[in-house]
Amino acid sequence: GDEPHAPYHRPPLSKGLLTGATTLQQLVLRSPDFFADNAIDLRLGVRAQAIDTAARTVALADGSSLEYQCLMLATGARPRALPLPGANLRGVLQLRTLDDALTLAEARKAAAHVVVIGGGFIGLEVAAALRTSGADVTVVESQRRLLARTFLPAMSGYVERFHRARGVQILLDRGVRALHGSGGVEAVELD
């Protein structure tokens, strides 16, 4: 994997790790001994670059390659890049990895107000965790309701009421046009 960390539990990244309820030690999936005892060669910080199915090899970013008899692809997911002016400003963060979560938790300490772009599962978990930690939180969702691709309207309404009752401001059917600031993000321009 291209991360420097051994495999870890990912669900707490958008929940307990942001609130402080989950420690780094609680994220550990297996002890280092587990990998050695089970003859697992753990390659950290090295991205797989190419697969040659005819030769049955995987080329790694460090120039080495691995032979295989059976190959499992476990690529995970990547957050969509924000195609917005200002997306590269300091303070515009994404959440996928442990390092992303640690950066978000640290940035939260200095942020009085947080805008979460996207009212899906992870966006809402982050919003709830940051609200629990004391931040003022606004969720901007482009759909007419939260979790529209996943839930029926009644369940979307329930989730929306739940978050609003806890102080999360929710803006539905709204898009983000640009992010503004001098060096760091200071404002979110809506459509």
Side-chain angles (χ1 to χ4, degrees):
D2 61 353
E3 288 188 68
H5 310 287
Y8 54 87
H9 294 285
R10 290 185 183 266
L13 297 183
S14 59
K15 303 175 193 90
L17 192 66
L18 294 181
T19 63
T22 302
T23 66
L24 290 174
Q25 293 76 19
Q26 291 171 311
L27 294 178
V28 174
L29 198 61
R30 301 284 187 179
S31 73
D33 292 339
F34 171 85
F35 298 103
D37 293 346
N38 289 282
I40 296 172
D41 179 14
L42 194 58
R43 304 276 180 107
L44 301 176
V46 182
R47 178 184 296 267
Q49 295 288 93
I51 300 169
D52 183 336
T53 56
R56 299 180 86 108
T57 60
V58 177
L60 304 179
D62 67 0
S64 65
S65 67
L66 299 170
E67 294 180 1
Y68 68 87
Q69 292 175 330
C70 180
L71 177 67
M72 182 179 102
L73 296 177
T75 58
R78 297 247 183 247
R80 286 186 283 174
L82 285 175
L84 300 171
N88 60 343
L89 290 169
R90 185 178 27 82
V92 178
L93 306 172
Q94 63 183 15
L95 178 60
R96 177 178 176 270
T97 68
L98 174 57
D99 289 337
D100 294 340
L102 294 172
T103 299
L104 180 57
E106 188 61 32
R108 169 29 212 124
K109 293 176 186 175
H113 191 84
V114 178
V115 175
V116 176
I117 301 173
F121 286 111
I122 294 175
L124 292 172
E125 289 171 354
V126 168
L130 294 177
R131 183 69 193 120
T132 299
S133 296
D136 288 332
V137 179
T138 300
V139 173
V140 179
E141 171 54 51
S142 63
Q143 300 292 314
R144 289 191 173 131
R145 57 188 174 84
L146 297 176
L147 301 161
R149 292 176 203 88
T150 311
F151 286 169
L152 294 171
M155 190 63 182
S156 291
Y158 172 82
V159 171
E160 180 182 346
R161 288 186 301 278
F162 181 88
H163 283 275
R164 286 187 189 276
R166 283 150 185 83
V168 175
Q169 183 180 4
I170 298 173
L171 304 176
L172 298 172
D173 202 18
R174 302 295 295 273
V176 175
R177 186 172 286 155
L179 306 173
H180 300 284
S182 53
V185 65
E186 297 168 0
V188 177
E189 179 184 344
L190 302 178
D191 59 5

